[in-house]
Amino acid sequence: MKKWYENKSDYDNIIVSTSVRLARNIEKYPFPARLDENTAVRICSEVKDAADRAEGLNLMYLDMQDLSVKQCVALAERNLISPDFASPKKGRALLVSEDESISVMINEHDHIRIQVMKSGLEPDEAYYVADKIDDVFDQSFKYAFDDKLGYLTELPTNLGTGMKASVNLQLPAISKCGQISKLASTVSKLGLSLRSAYGDSISSGYDIYKLSNQVTLGISEQTAIDNLKAIAMQIATQERHTSESLVKNLSVMDEIQRAYAVLSSARLLTTSEMLKLFSLVRLGAENGIVKVDVTKLNELTQTLQSATLSVSNGGDIPSSQRDEIRAKTVREQLFDS
């Protein structure tokens, strides 16, 4: 079955993906931070049973204690779990769909954390699916809910709707012009955050940024999604206009062509180098300077990070071997097909 990130989108060049997360807690249990191990295991079993009873949901159950550290990190690399969740631990589990578009963390910061991912700009569709899954669990559990505060969550920032909707944007032109910090400040005044998709830093060098709603209290899910979608489209338009001007610069055009040449011929590629080169060739593809399959770039970004690459090739392989496999895969899938 095709993974969600293999699907082509109208917004592939700039808007890479969308995710919607819903945080829910079961009223009769303490928040995960206060759970004893036996109760945490019981919650995992109850949530699994509720999912198994749902017709057509078909989610695979992974007990985190049965996974290796490398397998846990690989799940985090593909955004199926949070980095905080990426360790083998009793009393934690994951439900995941075959195409990896749906994942449900059990006993992360909340008892149930539903996530749905889609290619491109699809917050409405992602929320629709997440809401249907939420209904499944709502039939089995009484959620922790307050008439004034809404859904009760371990983190106060999730109170209310319990929803975090995010859009991943590739913004090499805005980043090269040094405008990311200014943009982040602007969107924060509109109730959103803009941060690097690869850690806490505002700039990782890979030019992929996550735009997310910050307000979950006193606002409906649909209003938050509409706001996110509108701002994402404005940023995409700004990126497109900035890139059209930027690529007229000979040095930038040279960077793009060099990145294309390296990717097409390299025998060794680190994850960091690959992501930086991908950003440049994506900028070139957006403006017709180079020809690459941008959907394939999105797919390789998911599958060629270190832990994911190791797991898919049999386990713990040396970094030099990973770099060789990564370079070979990029050459074959981007340039030889």
Side-chain angles (χ1 to χ4, degrees), residues 100-167:
E100 299 187 355
S101 66
I102 299 169
S103 61
V104 181
M105 286 185 288
I106 308 173
N107 292 331
E108 188 222 21
H109 290 300
D110 300 284
H111 298 140
I112 300 170
R113 182 71 68 90
I114 302 164
Q115 177 178 260
V116 176
M117 292 184 283
K118 296 288 182 182
S119 291
L121 186 63
E122 295 287 352
D124 292 295
E125 177 61 23
Y127 175 70
Y128 175 81
V129 176
D131 190 47
K132 291 297 181 186
I133 299 168
D134 186 33
D135 288 344
V136 167
F137 294 122
D138 193 26
Q139 292 172 12
S140 296
F141 306 110
K142 184 177 181 181
Y143 284 148
F145 186 86
D146 181 86
D147 289 338
K148 291 184 179 180
L149 296 176
Y151 291 102
L152 303 180
T153 57
E154 184 171 289
L155 300 177
T157 51
N158 289 329
L159 277 172
T161 62
M163 185 193 78
K164 289 287 186 180
S166 302
V167 174

Side-chain angles (χ1 to χ4, degrees), residues 83-84 194-204 209:
D84 291 341
L194 184 71
R195 57 187 295 183
S196 168
Y198 292 91
D200 294 333
S201 171
I202 191 63
S203 178
S204 62
Y209 298 90

Side-chain angles (χ1 to χ4, degrees), residues 18-58:
T18 302
S19 67
V20 169
R21 293 182 301 149
L22 299 177
R24 300 290 186 258
N25 288 282
I26 303 168
E27 186 181 61
K28 64 180 179 179
Y29 294 121
F31 289 136
R34 299 182 60 198
L35 286 176
D36 62 74
E37 193 174 85
N38 289 335
T39 306
V41 170
R42 188 184 314 132
I43 291 172
C44 289
S45 178
E46 290 179 2
V47 175
K48 177 184 182 297
D49 289 345
D52 287 344
R53 288 193 297 268
E55 186 177 351
L57 194 52
N58 299 324

Side-chain angles (χ1 to χ4, degrees), residues 225-256:
I225 286 171
D226 289 344
N227 190 35
L228 175 72
K229 190 161 55 174
I231 300 303
M233 286 298 297
Q234 289 181 32
I235 293 174
T237 299
Q238 181 180 342
E239 170 67 20
R240 188 168 290 115
H241 290 163
T242 304
S243 71
E244 288 172 357
S245 174
L246 188 65
V247 296
K248 295 175 183 177
N249 186 303
L250 189 60
S251 65
V252 174
M253 188 179 296
D254 183 65
E255 278 189 85
I256 292 168

